Amino acid sequence: VQLVESGGGLVQPGGSLRLSCATSGFTFSDVWMYWVRQAPGKGLEWIASINTDGDRPYYANSVDGRFTISRDNVKNMLYLEMRGLKRADTALYQCASEGKDTIVFTTDPISQSDLGSWGQGTQVTVSS
């Protein structure tokens, strides 16, 4: 199983980025997928989920209206379009597959035990 994120970088407040996650080694179209992030000194935060068909996205309140999760089940790719970036969005962003229980929406902290597989992440830094 491999998940490899890309697309992170340094961006000014208000800017945009598009993250990608290339996956292999599992049946991508059969599992829900997530984006999670970890800011410096903080725990793992769930920010978005998408169902297997890609027609039902769910977002944390902190990113709703600014971020868009999508997937391509032909290319086995997961995406996160981020707009209106804020300094508070600075974090390591990781894509992950669903674990034993599907996360549709949560305001609780999560851990890697809530996930199936995950990538190494891509750093997003929002700074002027």
Side-chain angles (χ1 to χ4, degrees):
V1 175
Q2 270 199 318
L3 296 90
V4 181
E5 302 90 341
S6 61
L10 175 64
V11 62
Q12 292 187 341
S16 301
L17 281 175
R18 186 191 195 213
L19 306 185
S20 299
C21 173
T23 74
S24 61
F26 64 102
T27 307
F28 180 77
S29 59
D30 282 354
V31 301
W32 283 58
M33 293 295 296
Y34 314 136
W35 284 99
V36 300
R37 68 184 182 185
Q38 187 160 21
K42 295 189 176 181
L44 201 58
E45 177 190 12
W46 168 84
I47 57 170
S49 295
I50 191 164
N51 68 326
T52 55
D53 289 340
D55 58 353
R56 284 186 287 150
Y58 301 88
Y59 302 98
N61 294 334
S62 57
V63 306
D64 197 11
R66 299 186 298 122
F67 290 11
T68 302
I69 186 173
S70 62
R71 66 190 295 161
D72 184 330
N73 285 348
V74 174
K75 297 180 179 178
N76 295 337
M77 295 287 294
L78 182 73
Y79 304 100
L80 185 70
E81 192 78 38
M82 306 187 294
R83 297 185 177 87
L85 283 162
K86 307 175 181 179
R87 289 182 174 83
D89 295 318
T90 294
L92 181 70
Y93 285 72
Q94 296 171 282
C95 62
S97 60
E98 66 175 311
K100 182 171 63 69
D101 299 313
T102 302
I103 302 173
V104 177
F105 178 88
T106 183
T107 58
D108 294 332
I110 63 169
S111 67
Q112 289 180 336
S113 64
D114 296 309
L115 310 174
S117 301
W118 56 91
Q120 292 297 306
T122 186
Q123 178 67 36
V124 172
T125 301
V126 184
S127 175
S128 54

